[in-house]
Amino acid sequence: MRRFKRIEAGSYYSYLSEGCRLCRRGAKLVLFVTGLCPHNCYYCPISKEKRGRDVIFANEREVRSIEDVMAEIELMDALGVAITGGEPLVKLERVVEFLKLFKKLDLHTHLYTSIPASGRILQKLADAGLNEIRFHPIELKNVRSFEEPVKVAKSLSMEVGIEIPALRFSEELAEFVNRHEIFLNVNELEFSSTNYDELIRRGYEPDEYYGAKGSDEIARRYAEIVEKFHYCTAKFKDRAQMRRRFIRMAMNHPEFYEITRDGTLICGFIEGDKEKIEKAKQLLISKGQDFVDVEGGIETSPEFVERWGETLKAEGLKVSIIERYPTSKRIIVEVIPL
């Protein structure tokens, strides 16, 4: 009898691939390699910013050069990369070049695709260093079109699985996964701004956390049959996986930043025109205080701005304590003016 391990936020598994293990640790960079895709799935949650556009993102950072990807890898101390889209294989050569880079960096890589890739393509991916591939049958149809790709990918020493949202239960899909001795990842079906109307039209209902009601029951039916199974909830992705990625990022910031249990950063923020900012820097330097130049001002320790806030304000500077995400976009979630 299979034994399941329960993890955070309603997720559970009988088997975790290496890619999922690293994701759980928050150690996988998500490389959105293109928004182009030959399909138009009604449940696709991709944002308008990315959907149908040939853009590249490394986590939240828009990629314009390889240096942007390297900066994100370093920021989060990535141990692996999840390659997604859109449909990554419509930009095969781009994917291959990235894979070669990640192989040199000794990063574990996994890739999602809805295409029953040919042996030639799979060989090219394997040669470039792809460790794990996850096939997605569109709307859970034409499952048998993945028979040969699964066999070839396994013969090339890739770890192979099927990854789907909890659209419905498919006995054919469960049988396929078991017969080929591959894993099945079922993700809670998620509502987004781009798929909301279509999911509602098709009879799905949102729960309190943007997941679709009934996802848990669909996952349970797969879990009863599938040998290598993993159910991943929307809450888990947000409360565990993303939080741990934020903590990894936060730990790579200078020591004056305070890190919350959610992985956000608390720091002092000094704003003003260029001349006044230079005066603030002189004060910081004279007191032996570390700081970081950011757009619009300087970040430093909360203690420093509390101690010297009045002096800084007398110079015409705006002083506050902020809480922000540790990402490249540095989104501020709270401001406390001093």
Side-chain angles (χ1 to χ4, degrees):
M1 181 177 179
R2 291 185 309 285
R3 297 183 64 182
F4 289 94
K5 293 184 179 180
R6 294 196 174 273
I7 50 181
E8 303 93 333
S11 292
Y12 58 92
Y13 68 92
S14 61
Y15 178 83
L16 278 184
S17 70
E18 181 63 15
C20 285
R21 291 178 187 277
L22 291 174
C23 277
R24 185 185 177 193
R25 293 168 60 185
K28 276 254 171 171
L29 178 146
V30 178
L31 183 68
F32 183 92
V33 79
T34 183
L36 301 178
C37 182
H39 309 291
N40 188 30
C41 302
Y42 67 86
Y43 47 86
C44 180
I46 295 173
S47 67
K48 290 180 180 179
E49 178 186 30
K50 298 175 181 177
R51 192 169 186 173
R53 299 181 60 216
D54 190 20
V55 293
I56 307 173
F57 282 82
N59 294 332
E60 295 80 15
R61 186 191 301 259
E62 187 166 6
V63 173
R64 295 183 175 85
S65 69
I66 200 66
E67 286 74 23
D68 293 325
V69 178
M70 293 301 299
E72 199 67 18
I73 288 170
E74 292 171 7
L75 177 58
M76 66 174 290
D77 275 341
L79 299 178
V81 182
I83 301 173
T84 184
E87 172 47 65
L89 295 188
V90 302
K91 291 292 178 179
L92 177 61
E93 294 306 320
R94 181 183 297 171
V95 169
V96 166
E97 289 308 306
F98 275 122
L99 284 171
K100 290 177 180 178
L101 169 66
F102 301 146
K103 185 177 182 180
K104 289 179 182 177
L105 297 173
D106 197 27
L107 298 176
H108 181 276
T109 51
H110 71 264
L111 176 144
Y112 304 86
T113 181
S114 58
I115 293 175
S118 68
R120 179 189 65 83
I121 290 174
L122 292 168
Q123 183 68 64
K124 199 165 188 175
L125 294 171
D127 290 345
L130 184 63
N131 303 110
E132 179 178 317
I133 191 164
R134 304 174 183 186
F135 294 110
H136 170 65
I138 298 298
E139 296 186 30
L140 314 192
K141 298 175 181 177
N142 301 316
V143 176
R144 295 193 181 279
S145 66
F146 291 92
E147 293 267 9
E148 192 62 22
V150 165
K151 292 176 184 177
V152 173
K154 290 181 71 174
S155 74
L156 293 170
S157 299
M158 292 184 202
E159 186 160 20
V160 183
I162 299 288
E163 183 150 336
I164 59 169
L167 295 173
R168 59 182 173 81
F169 174 73
S170 166
E171 189 171 352
E172 178 190 20
L173 182 61
E175 183 275 332
F176 178 90
V177 169
N178 284 340
R179 178 159 47 83
H180 287 285
E181 298 181 327
I182 60 178
F183 65 85
L184 174 64
N185 286 348
V186 175
N187 297 314
E188 183 176 16
L189 180 60
E190 293 184 55
F191 279 80
S192 72
S193 60
T194 53
N195 70 13
Y196 185 91
D197 290 343
E198 191 60 32
L199 289 181
I200 292 294
R201 190 179 73 81
R202 291 171 181 265
Y204 295 99
E205 296 179 48
D207 63 16
E208 73 279 5
Y209 207 80
Y210 304 107
K213 292 180 179 179
S215 290
D216 290 355
E217 175 59 23
I218 291 169
R220 186 190 64 77
R221 292 187 67 187
Y222 281 114
E224 290 174 347
I225 298 174
V226 174
E227 293 295 326
K228 294 182 176 180
F229 179 78
H230 174 212
Y231 177 50
C232 191
T233 65
K235 285 183 181 179
F236 176 81
K237 291 176 182 177
D238 182 55
R239 295 183 180 179
Q241 180 181 316
M242 185 174 291
R243 180 176 64 86
R244 287 171 182 154
R245 173 153 59 90
F246 282 175
I247 290 172
R248 294 179 73 90
M249 290 177 165
M251 292 296 289
N252 282 326
H253 283 70
E255 290 185 5
F256 67 74
Y257 289 96
E258 296 178 6
I259 303 172
T260 71
R261 63 178 296 176
D262 293 322
T264 56
L265 298 170
I266 295 175
C267 63
F269 188 36
I270 305 168
E271 302 170 82
D273 62 37
K274 187 175 180 181
E275 183 179 334
K276 290 173 181 175
I277 287 292
E278 284 303 315
K279 288 184 178 180
K281 287 183 181 179
Q282 291 304 312
L283 178 60
L284 285 154
I285 292 168
S286 71
K287 302 301 179 184
Q289 175 64 46
D290 289 338
F291 62 90
V292 173
D293 286 302
V294 297
E295 184 177 353
I298 301 169
E299 291 180 348
T300 188
S301 73
E303 292 81 8
F304 182 86
V305 295
E306 287 176 336
R307 170 70 177 82
W308 296 98
E310 294 304 319
T311 301
L312 293 164
K313 286 192 291 184
E315 293 289 342
L317 291 153
K318 185 178 178 181
V319 185
S320 59
I321 293 176
I322 63 170
E323 180 181 354
R324 71 169 178 86
Y325 290 124
T327 61
S328 61
K329 289 187 176 180
R330 216 214 110 263
I331 296 171
I332 295 173
V333 294
E334 185 175 13
V335 179
I336 303 174
L338 297 181

